[in-house]
Amino acid sequence: MTQLIGDVANRVRRLPKPSNTADALQPVFEAVSNGMHAVQDQFGDDASRRGSIQVGFQNIRDPSTYTVVVTDNGIGLEDERFRAFCTTDTPFKIARGGKGVGRLLWLDAFALVKVDSIYAGDGGLYRRKFDFSLSSDEPIFNETISRVEGTAEPGTSITLTGLRSNSYSAKMPVQFAVIRKHFASHFLADFLLGKAPGMTIAFEDRDARFPQAVEDLLVEKRESVTFPSSQFGDLTLDGYVMKKEASSDLDGNHQLHLVSSGRTVQTRKIDGLLGVKRIGEDSDSVLHCCVTGAFLDERVNQERTQFNFSEEVATELTKECVEHAKVEIVPEEVGEYEEYRIGRLDDFVEHYPSFGFEETTSLLKKTPVNADNHEAFAKALIPHKIRADKHRKEQVQLVLEKLMSEEEIQPDLSEEISKVAAAASADENRQLMEYVIRRKFIIEILDALLGKVRVLSGKFETHLEGTLHQLICPMRVVGNDPYRTAPAPHDLWLLDERLAPAKYFASDARIEDFVVDGDKDRVDLMIWDKVHGLGLSHDDKLSRVLLVEFKKPERTGYSGNYVLGRQMNRYIEKLKNREVRSHTGELVELSEDVVFHCYVVADIVGDLEMDTRNWHRSPSGRGRFQYLTGDDRGSIEVIEWKELVRDAKVRNQNFLEAARLSFVRKGDPLFDGSSSSSREAAE
């Protein structure tokens, strides 16, 4: 009786168990690989034309009867090969990547393996049959050898039956599409490189034929590139333009297959390194590259499922291969994509001029090769912008120190001062340009919102006041209060330019958050500023207070007890009685000569028109105002929504003209992106 040399049971027990479908199929892949090697030995260079491998999946619904039959027309299991089969860790096929453990995977996965092989011997053909299993005292049993009478061809049939009660039962595929996908992925390099014999996979009433199944996905074969690497030796890179379906079950679009002994061992996504989204004549294909070399062949593990080098090494190898692919395999696509990225980066700087601290070509080098949108550019350039700003400030500080020192001023200091001043001026201009563009955008959005209606409860109404309120100032925000929210940017300059730098305000919060007695009335917005600048001071008593209230556009009716002046007076009384706390929890103190500036943003129609008919008219004739009386100094002004937009446009018109911009007309895009005129104006 033939014995398998080596501690087989312990070896099988120590084999890694499958964690996914690809791992579970490894025993089948090993049987197919053995068949490919046998075919290559039988037919040599003619193997791809004359060789044949048949893989049949049977009874796959029940793990106990799950059967895979792999048949080849190769050289057969003649004596030398059979002796190698009976020895674990044999070096018999090591030159082709064989590690001598494939049959151990069979034992780990299947309850019974039947081998039936015809081979050429002394003066004729012989048939060797045996069973292979861990269920017997000896793994190899029921062995017979007989002379073949009549006509026959060499070849081997491996029948793998019955999944063992381990993780193979849970991971082995039972769907045709899954099996076809994994076979195509695993042997993709074999078929793309043209080294594999024809193969048919039969599954119930369907079948898949290879290499046709892979060739159907091939769009174009690109040049093969061989290049020396100081770290990895000589490497050969084969490029293939494939239909996008070739990557449908892989992570990413473009792939690099690390190949050892004609087989794909590892596939790596290279989208982020290549940059190009799609390649090919119609820009709807993907790139698959196969890299081969002695470095890979010498470092593949026993199961030929992974390499024994680190992820860092694999990353460096991948980067080097992709760089050669970009220059020698897909240079046109890469060049066109770079031109596209430059255009997109120009558009980004057009919208956000403060990022234009260098020329576009220089900025592009600071971004990832797959960055082609505003968010990606911003994410990549922010660190560089911070460093550039820091460097500019350091240069300014250096010049100041030289000027303030007692040392003699050098002749070249004047030129140095000019350079620093020019750089600072250019940066300020870029930031101002970005500020102007943002103002233009806010005004035009507000204008557009006022022209729209929304359906509410089956009635057509204009946007709720909250929608417009949120555009100008975020709702439910208490600025500079870390226990509630972080300070949020606002656009209160639409009401009054003096409010632009304000940092302390309450938006759409109940007055109980700011008053002592917990009154439930709500103030939409309260902002305090000192005489010398907006903002809240802990020491000085405030000499000016600004109150703002928003009402829904075109609102005609108000509740019966609503009186415009009374509501503002109530707010003022609470402030004067020291019943309002600041965002730091301190009671707000007012100076004796405090002036109140009160604004109501609303349309003067209906009840509001009646309440203000005796008020003074604003210079435009559209607004109303009156002076506060009695002990209070200041005024209350009603500003119509349309007048708010019109006034904001007038106040910002000079800025836009200086930047060669203008407010859009109906139907125009906010940004056309057609030129860099605005960026040039900023400079």
Side-chain angles (χ1 to χ4, degrees):
M1 178 182 293
T2 302
Q3 295 182 350
L4 192 64
I5 301 173
D7 189 352
V8 178
N10 283 331
R11 283 297 310 277
V12 171
R13 190 179 302 112
R14 293 196 300 269
L15 288 174
K17 301 304 181 274
S19 59
N20 52 50
T21 299
D23 290 344
L25 282 170
Q26 286 302 319
V28 181
F29 293 155
E30 288 293 333
V32 173
S33 294
N34 288 345
M36 289 183 174
H37 292 157
V39 168
Q40 290 167 357
D41 289 342
Q42 177 73 352
F43 300 109
D45 294 338
D46 209 20
S48 61
R49 186 177 67 87
R50 299 177 60 186
S52 174
I53 295 179
Q54 307 292 322
V55 183
F57 285 80
Q58 305 167 5
N59 305 322
I60 48 86
R61 304 302 172 185
D62 184 353
S64 65
T65 61
Y66 195 110
T67 300
V68 183
V69 181
V70 180
T71 304
D72 67 73
N73 64 343
I75 197 170
L77 201 57
E78 40 83 30
D79 290 344
E80 182 182 3
R81 293 173 186 277
F82 184 61
R83 284 194 294 271
F85 183 94
C86 295
T87 305
T88 59
D89 302 309
T90 175
F92 183 71
K93 293 187 290 184
I94 197 167
R96 291 182 295 195
K99 302 295 183 178
V101 297
R103 58 204 178 282
L104 300 185
L105 292 175
W106 300 349
L107 294 177
D108 191 33
F110 292 92
L112 178 63
V113 180
K114 288 184 172 291
V115 180
D116 186 351
S117 181
I118 297 177
Y119 61 92
D122 296 335
L125 295 176
Y126 293 84
R127 167 170 254 146
R128 186 191 305 276
K129 298 176 65 176
F130 60 90
D131 294 339
F132 192 45
S133 173
L134 289 178
S135 62
S136 176
D137 293 337
E138 290 294 335
I140 298 175
F141 56 99
N142 295 335
E143 179 189 359
T144 63
I145 300 176
S146 60
R147 190 179 181 92
V148 177
E149 302 295 338
T151 302
E153 295 291 336
T156 301
S157 177
I158 308 294
T159 302
L160 311 166
T161 303
L163 296 174
R164 298 180 64 195
S165 57
N166 54 25
S167 53
Y168 281 98
S169 300
K171 302 298 181 182
M172 195 65 78
V174 295
Q175 296 177 331
F176 175 69
V178 175
I179 293 172
R180 180 181 58 186
K181 175 193 72 174
H182 284 285
F183 266 81
S185 176
H186 190 84
F187 295 105
L188 182 66
D190 301 74
F191 294 118
L192 287 179
L193 296 172
K195 296 182 179 181
M199 179 170 66
T200 300
I201 300 175
F203 183 94
E204 296 178 333
D205 58 344
R206 290 170 288 180
D207 61 53
R209 300 179 183 276
F210 294 84
Q212 286 86 348
V214 171
E215 291 173 351
D216 288 343
L217 299 175
L218 179 63
V219 176
E220 178 188 354
K221 170 69 172 72
R222 293 288 174 94
E223 292 293 326
S224 179
V225 179
T226 299
F227 58 93
S229 169
S230 59
Q231 184 176 358
F232 308 112
D234 290 343
L235 296 173
T236 298
L237 194 63
D238 291 276
Y240 303 88
V241 179
M242 310 289 292
K243 294 179 182 178
K244 60 183 179 181
E245 290 80 10
S247 300
S248 59
D249 294 304
L250 298 172
D251 181 20
N253 294 317
H254 310 299
Q255 311 292 332
L256 176 68
H257 303 277
L258 277 57
V259 179
S260 176
S261 304
R263 285 175 51 182
T264 298
V265 178
Q266 187 180 118
T267 297
R268 301 180 68 86
K269 179 178 71 173
I270 58 174
D271 295 13
L273 297 173
L274 193 64
V276 184
K277 298 295 189 293
R278 290 281 193 268
I279 64 172
E281 184 176 351
D282 297 324
S283 298
D284 60 354
S285 303
V286 296
L287 179 68
H288 282 245
C289 289
C290 298
V291 58
T292 56
F295 179 87
L296 297 174
D297 293 337
E298 295 167 359
R299 290 167 176 81
V300 68
N301 71 347
Q302 293 189 66
E303 294 77 29
R304 283 167 284 176
T305 58
Q306 62 185 15
F307 294 103
N308 60 12
F309 45 71
S310 67
E311 174 62 22
E312 289 76 13
V313 172
T315 298
E316 289 303 314
L317 173 65
T318 302
K319 289 181 179 179
E320 188 166 342
C321 290
V322 172
E323 286 305 311
H324 281 276
K326 291 168 67 174
V327 174
E328 302 182 68
I329 296 178
V330 288
E332 292 185 7
E333 289 90 342
V334 171
E336 292 174 357
Y337 182 63
E338 287 299 287
E339 289 296 324
Y340 170 75
R341 291 213 307 135
I342 289 176
R344 294 292 295 155
L345 184 55
D346 278 332
D347 182 71
F348 169 70
V349 176
E350 183 90 9
H351 284 72
Y352 307 99
S354 64
F355 283 91
F357 53 89
E358 292 182 14
E359 292 297 322
T360 304
T361 53
S362 179
L363 292 175
L364 194 68
K365 295 177 181 178
K366 302 179 187 299
T367 66
V369 295
N370 62 341
D372 60 8
N373 59 70
H374 287 194
E375 289 189 7
F377 289 139
K379 183 178 180 180
L381 293 176
I382 283 175
H384 297 282
K385 184 178 183 300
I386 292 174
R387 287 193 286 269
D389 292 343
K390 180 181 178 181
H391 175 71
R392 188 186 65 258
K393 292 177 181 178
E394 291 174 348
Q395 293 298 108
V396 171
Q397 184 63 35
L398 182 62
V399 170
L400 289 175
E401 290 175 357
K402 288 182 178 181
L403 288 173
M404 298 175 66
S405 69
E406 298 181 357
E407 298 180 5
E408 183 179 352
I409 297 178
Q410 300 298 319
D412 61 348
L413 183 59
S414 176
E415 181 180 353
E416 190 173 346
I417 292 174
S418 297
K419 289 181 179 179
V420 171
S425 177
D427 181 67
E428 290 173 357
N429 287 340
R430 287 191 295 267
Q431 294 187 42
L432 178 59
M433 181 65 199
E434 192 166 311
Y435 187 61
V436 170
I437 290 176
R438 186 180 183 280
R439 283 197 168 202
K440 173 181 182 291
F441 173 76
I442 292 297
I443 292 172
E444 288 171 343
I445 288 295
L446 180 59
D447 197 9
L449 279 173
L450 292 173
K452 296 291 184 180
V453 296
R454 66 185 297 179
V455 179
L456 183 65
S457 299
K459 299 179 181 179
F460 285 99
E461 294 192 8
T462 54
H463 283 284
L464 294 176
E465 57 196 284
T467 306
L468 295 170
H469 183 192
Q470 192 171 12
L471 176 66
I472 298 174
C473 180
M475 300 176 72
R476 301 291 179 187
V477 169
V478 178
N480 286 41
D481 185 348
Y483 298 100
R484 300 195 55 179
T485 71
H490 63 84
D491 293 288
L492 297 173
W493 51 267
L494 285 162
L495 300 172
D496 190 322
E497 290 293 344
R498 293 172 297 179
L499 305 184
K503 295 181 180 179
Y504 300 87
F505 60 90
S507 176
D508 205 35
R510 288 192 178 278
I511 197 71
E512 66 181 351
D513 295 324
F514 307 100
V515 300
V516 176
D517 62 7
D519 192 309
K520 298 294 184 180
D521 284 349
R522 187 187 73 183
V523 56
D524 284 320
L525 191 69
M526 279 199 297
I527 297 177
W528 303 272
D529 68 284
K530 298 184 297 184
V531 174
H532 55 272
L534 297 173
L536 183 62
S537 170
H538 298 293
D539 302 322
D540 299 336
K541 295 182 178 181
L542 302 179
S543 61
R544 276 191 298 172
V545 172
L546 296 94
L547 299 174
V548 184
E549 183 179 354
F550 296 94
K551 296 300 179 185
K552 186 178 64 176
E554 299 183 12
R555 179 176 178 179
T556 58
Y558 295 85
S559 59
N561 60 355
Y562 176 80
V563 178
L564 180 63
R566 182 186 303 167
Q567 186 168 344
M568 284 295 184
N569 286 332
R570 188 175 183 180
Y571 293 160
I572 291 172
E573 191 67 22
K574 289 182 178 295
L575 286 166
K576 292 174 65 176
N577 292 338
R578 300 186 71 228
E579 297 175 0
V580 177
R581 296 184 182 275
S582 73
H583 298 278
T584 61
E586 301 289 335
L587 289 172
V588 176
E589 295 190 40
L590 307 178
S591 65
E592 293 183 1
D593 58 348
V594 61
V595 177
F596 296 95
H597 300 278
C598 308
Y599 298 94
V600 177
V601 182
D603 287 329
I604 305 177
V605 293
D607 293 346
L608 203 59
E609 183 177 22
M610 294 296 296
D611 290 345
T612 61
R613 64 184 309 172
N614 294 323
W615 291 26
H616 301 289
R617 293 184 180 274
S618 64
S620 67
R622 300 282 297 177
R624 309 283 174 86
F625 73 95
Q626 72 172 5
Y627 297 105
L628 300 179
T629 59
D631 296 334
D632 301 328
R633 299 176 59 202
S635 63
I636 178 171
E637 182 177 357
V638 181
I639 303 174
E640 288 202 305
W641 281 105
K642 291 182 179 180
E643 183 68 16
L644 176 69
V645 174
R646 186 181 296 109
D647 180 63
K649 285 185 177 181
V650 171
R651 285 187 281 111
N652 289 273
Q653 185 63 40
N654 289 338
F655 286 116
L656 266 68
E657 290 178 356
R660 304 179 193 175
L661 296 172
S662 62
F663 290 108
V664 299
R665 294 167 297 182
K666 186 175 181 180
D668 292 340
L670 294 183
F671 301 102
D672 57 20
S674 58
S675 69
S676 58
S677 59
S678 57
R679 181 185 173 192
E680 294 170 358
E683 297 297 336

